[in-house]
Amino acid sequence: MSTLHVENLKGPTSGANANKVIVPSGQTLHAAGHVIQVVTSNKTSQTQITSTSAVDTGLSVSITPQFNTSKIFISLSTLGICYQTQYIIHRLLRDSTIIYGDAGYNNNNYWMPINYAINHLDSPATTSAITYKTMAYISNSGGDLRFNYNGDGSAHTASITAMEIAA
């Protein structure tokens, strides 16, 4: 194996490919920190959760990393509303493994908004397909959580994005 050392790469200054450095089809440029792929999934329905055990919220995304050294950056946000005094526990999972969790608390006996926002950098060390999903539950029976709630009884569009980042 040989190594080519260069200080700068510069494309031609004129023509159809002016100011472009082209990586031919079938070849891969692997530079640490660059985004290799982005996958987004949307959820347009509301999920009602009254369980004290974790249940799927219906928000998930699947990605197949190209390199086992890649990092996967997960970003999601959505709205919710809950009723009754309770903790609301929200989890991010890689397949069946919990990789992030957060909680909210409603200390009132009326409906209260709950906002979910997660930004998490994962190191899955695989080139197999991965599914990232969220699960949630409430801490006491009699409570009610509406995941992906829009305020008028309908749901808004929630999304979850997985970005493969070269390491």
Side-chain angles (χ1 to χ4, degrees):
M1 178 176 177
S2 61
T3 302
L4 172 65
H5 295 272
V6 296
E7 189 170 319
N8 293 299
L9 289 176
K10 186 176 180 182
T13 57
S14 62
N17 294 315
N19 301 314
K20 293 181 184 176
V21 174
I22 298 172
V23 176
S25 176
Q27 301 297 304
T28 303
L29 174 64
H30 189 87
H34 87 275
V35 176
I36 297 170
Q37 64 174 312
V38 178
V39 182
T40 298
S41 179
N42 296 319
K43 175 180 172 43
T44 57
S45 60
Q46 172 181 280
T47 301
Q48 182 178 10
I49 299 170
T50 58
S51 175
T52 57
S53 299
V55 296
D56 283 343
T57 64
L59 187 60
S60 67
V61 66
S62 294
I63 189 169
T64 303
Q66 293 183 18
F67 303 97
N68 68 351
T69 56
S70 294
K71 307 290 186 192
I72 306 295
F73 182 74
I74 304 297
S75 180
L76 70 93
S77 66
T78 187
L79 303 173
I81 192 167
C82 65
Y83 182 72
Q84 293 291 355
T85 303
Q86 61 195 307
Y87 284 97
I88 299 91
I89 295 84
H90 188 228
R91 296 176 172 166
L92 175 65
L93 291 84
R94 177 193 339 107
D95 295 325
S96 60
T97 302
I98 300 168
I99 59 173
Y100 183 86
D102 62 8
Y105 182 71
N106 178 359
N107 63 352
N108 302 301
N109 288 324
Y110 52 88
W111 290 100
M112 184 177 108
I114 296 289
N115 297 319
Y116 298 99
I118 294 176
N119 291 307
H120 181 75
L121 186 63
D122 189 30
S123 300
T126 187
T127 55
S128 298
I130 304 166
T131 298
Y132 290 94
K133 68 178 183 176
T134 61
M135 297 182 83
Y137 64 97
I138 57 178
S139 64
N140 67 313
S141 60
D144 191 346
L145 170 63
R146 309 284 172 93
F147 184 84
N148 199 33
Y149 182 77
N150 195 29
D152 64 357
S154 65
H156 75 292
T157 300
S159 66
I160 182 170
T161 300
M163 292 185 277
E164 181 180 2
I165 311 294

